[in-house]
């Protein structure tokens, strides 16, 4: 089998020069500067917009279009059943808040009042605003976009990317007719996107998942999870992927929205170990374990679901980041986080990946040799 570098069928579909996608980050970790840098370099920059209001989404797309003339993607979470239901009653919420009281006090942060806990932006309103703004690409995680969304995107010439954590999810996305499917292995950092079965039944490693999805769907397959350099890219292509999506290593670049304390942990020996935890948001996510994760491990199954736990933790995360205290910050990272570069600019990192693409004749270079 001969591997050659070309944009491939995904490149032809999206209008990108290189089969490399920057993973979308939620929770304020995305930035226009990062997405634009990757798109300008010939990859596909992405922005995670799931916490934004419809009005903010409209403004975001306008800003991205001003920052780059190349294709980019905006990502939304498809809501899971029950996640947007009413808040728990005050007594229950008080119990969850008091569990976190020592951390609020230690960091000088105020616990959110019951009245201040806001509902998530409505998904239908978000996606309608996004379709109207017409970014080149819309990507989804956590589920299947409604049929009306697929039809309207087709009418407007917007490419659609879905995300699967299992083969069954990939087949379901392919049946809807999405343009490409991300095979998101359990190696990947951040929130797990399982939607057909519980997360614990959907933890398939990237290089077990990619060839099975490639065999099962007709859409181009994008490998994601545990990929940070040319070796991972070459392996993904050998297993049938048409492109790769890289998250954590782009999170380590200077343009990302990650806090300094978060970025400084990536690419270090501390990033060699990651765990799955619900403690920061109420949804299962992969990150580097710290004091908070270890101290609160007994409460993994007791914390309220997303978005309640996410709202309760927000003051703690923000205060810890501002004070330079990584032991209380959600350090989202995939299992290749220790391979991330040290403070590279996004265009520099992308250029290195492009040099290492199959067929370019440039061997993998370790960070110390770059």
């Amino acid at each position: 089998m001969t591997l050659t570098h070309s944009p491939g069928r995904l490149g032809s579909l999206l209008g990108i020069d290189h089969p490399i996608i920057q993973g979308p980050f939620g929770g304020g970790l995305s930035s226009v500067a990062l997405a634009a840098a990757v798109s300008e370099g010939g990859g596909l920059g992405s922005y995670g917009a799931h916490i934004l209001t419809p009005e903010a989404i409209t403004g975001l797309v306008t800003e991205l279009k001003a920052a780059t003339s190349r294709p980019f993607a905006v990502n939304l979470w498809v809501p899971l059943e029950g996640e947007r239901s009413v808040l728990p009653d005050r007594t229950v919420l008080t119990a969850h808040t008091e569990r976190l009281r020592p951390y609020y006090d230690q960091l000088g942060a105020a616990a959110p009042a019951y009245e201040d806990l806001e509902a998530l932006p409505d998904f239908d309103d978000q996606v309608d605003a996004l379709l109207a703004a017409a970014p080149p690409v819309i990507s989804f995680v956590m589920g299947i976009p409604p049929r009306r969304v697929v039809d309207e995107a087709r009418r407007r010439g917007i490419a659609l990317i879905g995300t699967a954590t299992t083969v069954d999810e990939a087949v379901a996305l392919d049946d809807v007719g999405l343009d490409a499917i991300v095979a998101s292995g359990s190696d990947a950092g951040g929130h797990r996107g399982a939607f057909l079965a519980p997360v614990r039944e959907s933890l398939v490693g990237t290089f077990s998942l990619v060839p099975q999805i490639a065999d099962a769907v007709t859409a181009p397959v994008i490998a994601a999870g545990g990929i940070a350099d040319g070796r991972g890219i070459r392996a993904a292509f050998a297993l049938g992927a048409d492109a790769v999506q890289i998250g954590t290593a782009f999170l380590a670049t200077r343009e990302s929205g990650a806090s300094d304390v978060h970025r400084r942990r990536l690419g270090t020996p501390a990033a060699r170990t990651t765990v799955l935890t619900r403690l920061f948001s109420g949804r299962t996510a992969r990150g580097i374990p710290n004091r908070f994760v270890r101290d609160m491990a007994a409460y993994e199954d007791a914390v309220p679901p997303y978005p309640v736990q996410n709202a309760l933790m927000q003051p703690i995360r923000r205060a810890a980041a501002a004070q330079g205290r990584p032991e209380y910050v959600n350090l989202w990272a995939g299992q290749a986080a220790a391979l991330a570069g040290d403070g590279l600019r996004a265009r520099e990192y992308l250029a290195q990946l492009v040099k290492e693409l199959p067929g370019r004749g440039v061997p993998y270079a370790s960070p110390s040799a770059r």
Side-chain angles (χ1 to χ4, degrees), residues 53-216:
T53 65
E55 295 76 18
I57 287 173
T58 301
L60 168 68
V61 175
T62 299
E63 191 175 354
L64 284 164
K65 287 181 176 179
T68 178
S69 61
R70 304 300 302 274
F72 60 85
V74 178
N75 179 269
L76 288 179
W77 289 14
V78 179
L80 295 177
E81 184 177 356
E83 275 195 346
R84 293 170 187 258
S85 59
V86 297
L87 295 172
D89 65 43
R90 289 176 181 270
T91 302
V92 173
L93 188 64
T94 296
H96 292 310
T97 302
E98 289 307 307
R99 183 188 301 126
L100 297 172
R101 181 66 59 188
Y103 300 100
Y104 294 128
D105 293 344
Q106 183 176 353
L107 293 165
Y114 186 87
E115 295 78 7
D116 293 335
L117 294 180
E118 299 178 355
L120 291 170
D122 183 78
F123 172 77
D124 288 326
D125 292 341
Q126 287 180 312
V127 79
D128 285 345
L130 192 51
L131 288 167
V137 183
I138 299 175
S139 63
F140 295 95
V141 292
M142 315 293 181
I144 303 171
R147 180 77 253 175
R148 71 170 187 86
V149 173
V150 177
D151 292 342
E152 183 62 14
R154 290 280 177 275
R155 191 181 75 79
R156 292 176 177 269
I158 302 169
L160 297 180
I161 299 175
T163 305
T165 66
T166 66
V167 177
D168 288 344
E169 290 177 356
V171 171
L173 292 167
D174 201 38
D175 287 346
V176 173
L178 299 193
D179 296 295
I181 297 170
V182 176
S184 179
S186 58
D187 318 40
H191 288 91
R192 300 305 304 146
F195 59 90
L196 289 184
V199 171
R200 66 180 179 275
E201 298 176 18
S202 307
L203 297 174
V204 185
T206 303
F207 296 115
S208 295
L209 186 63
V210 169
Q212 295 182 73
I213 288 182
D215 287 349

Side-chain angles (χ1 to χ4, degrees), residues 211-237:
Q212 295 182 73
I213 288 182
D215 287 349
V217 304
T218 59
V221 175
I222 303 161
I227 302 170
D229 57 36
R231 295 171 295 183
I233 295 174
R234 291 165 189 255
F237 288 169

Side-chain angles (χ1 to χ4, degrees), residues 272-294:
R272 292 172 183 163
T273 300
T274 62
V275 296
L276 294 171
T277 179
R278 295 181 61 247
L279 292 172
F280 284 103
S281 71
R283 291 212 61 171
T284 302
R286 182 176 295 283
I288 301 168
N290 54 15
R291 184 179 304 163
F292 180 81
V293 170
R294 295 185 177 103

